[in-house]
Amino acid sequence: MICDDPALAPPPLPAVWSKTLRRGRALADAVLDLVFPPACLACRKAVTAHGALCPSCWRRVGFIEKPYCERLGTPFPYDLGVPGLLSPEAMANPPVYHRARAVARFEDGPVRDLVHRLKYGDRLELAKPLGLWMARAGAELLAGADLLVPVPLHRRRLIWRRFNQANALAEIVGRASGKTVEPFALARIKPTLPQVGLSRAQRADNVQGAFAVPGSAQGAIAGRNVLLIDDVLTSGATLNAAARALLRGGAARVDVLVFARVVTSG
């Protein structure tokens, strides 16, 4: 029998499939919650959803919100009511990149532990929640970005570590924002010492000439606004060196988005 009344007609197959898929995902999530109950990303206490922090850990995170320096993204102690203000550091030592934004202070609460677990503890599942926070914190930069470029590791370190945490974060930010990720637009051509424990001047010397844009990638970045992605901004030496290489390679502008940044020391 043919039904002539559109109100009584069955929904089209794509809608049926979509509803079935949604039910399937909901069931899979319920099973996952039973097998692996949601736990706080930092302290592992029970929470209501995967990829979340418990209230106690959430309160200990030093989220960076306005007012902050327009260039460096470092927070001001109080709001002067004037948009676009620059910090004394940004005026005295302006970075190579145009603007930087971060989710939280590296020194505060569980932030350092989350970064170290992702970077050194093979906790790749942390890339998703951290990357989603980055996408929200960097919404202004993402709106003007043409593509995302993760800070690369040298091939020796990549072999030892087995993955690049900056690329893992960039993939999540790219999916959340709909922006293209170009993981090979920048190459680390010189092995460098770990930056931990080095002074600001030593950090800058350590990464001088460490990055380059491969000839095959110049077409991808020429005249484009690049958003450079990394996990932590400390002194800014690594990101300055990477941004300088991108600008020399033809990028129109380079902004920086990280999960955490050092605020009280450099």
Side-chain angles (χ1 to χ4, degrees):
M1 181 179 68
I2 299 175
C3 178
D4 294 326
D5 186 349
L8 299 177
L13 282 177
V16 173
W17 293 340
S18 177
K19 188 174 182 180
T20 302
L21 285 173
R22 285 197 301 271
R23 287 177 174 172
R25 290 194 193 103
L27 179 60
D29 289 343
V31 172
L32 181 65
D33 287 349
L34 287 173
V35 179
F36 302 105
C40 173
L41 294 173
C43 70
R44 310 308 297 167
K45 290 181 181 177
V47 292
T48 57
H50 291 281
L53 293 170
C54 70
S56 176
C57 289
W58 181 270
R59 286 192 296 269
R60 292 167 54 222
V61 173
F63 288 105
I64 296 176
E65 300 176 341
K66 291 184 177 182
Y68 46 64
C69 171
E70 180 65 18
R71 287 295 298 275
L72 300 180
T74 49
F76 290 129
Y78 47 85
D79 191 352
L80 296 175
V82 181
L85 282 178
L86 299 182
S87 63
E89 182 182 356
M91 291 186 283
N93 298 293
V96 175
Y97 49 84
H98 185 59
R99 294 172 296 175
R101 298 291 182 266
V103 175
R105 296 170 181 256
F106 181 65
E107 309 90 341
D108 290 348
V111 173
R112 183 192 297 264
D113 288 341
L114 290 173
V115 170
H116 285 178
R117 288 173 192 172
L118 170 63
K119 195 169 186 174
Y120 306 117
D122 292 340
R123 293 284 303 279
L124 269 172
E125 76 277 7
L126 292 174
K128 183 175 181 180
L130 271 55
L132 292 176
W133 283 336
M134 289 171 64
R136 287 192 288 269
E140 178 187 7
L141 304 187
L142 284 162
D146 295 314
L147 67 154
L148 312 183
V149 175
V151 173
L153 295 175
H154 188 268
R155 62 181 179 275
R156 294 179 190 171
R157 189 165 297 173
L158 183 60
I159 291 171
W160 175 75
R161 194 177 288 172
R162 301 191 302 277
F163 74 98
N164 178 5
Q165 74 281 355
N167 186 62
L169 293 169
E171 291 292 340
I172 300 299
V173 176
R175 274 182 239 148
S177 62
K179 299 292 181 176
T180 300
V181 179
E182 293 285 353
F184 304 112
L186 190 64
R188 198 159 192 147
I189 59 175
K190 184 180 82 171
T192 56
L193 296 171
Q195 296 280 67
V196 177
L198 301 181
S199 68
R200 180 183 290 269
Q202 289 171 332
R203 287 170 183 262
D205 289 341
N206 187 38
V207 295
Q208 185 175 4
F211 300 98
V213 175
S216 59
Q218 289 182 356
I221 69 166
R224 312 291 292 281
N225 294 332
V226 176
L227 184 56
L228 195 57
I229 304 291
D230 207 359
D231 55 344
V232 179
L233 192 163
T234 307
S235 69
T238 298
L239 289 160
N240 269 333
R244 186 177 291 112
L246 287 166
L247 291 169
R248 287 176 176 170
R253 189 182 69 205
V254 178
D255 290 322
V256 165
L257 178 60
V258 298
F259 173 66
R261 69 158 301 136
V262 171
V263 174
T264 59
S265 64

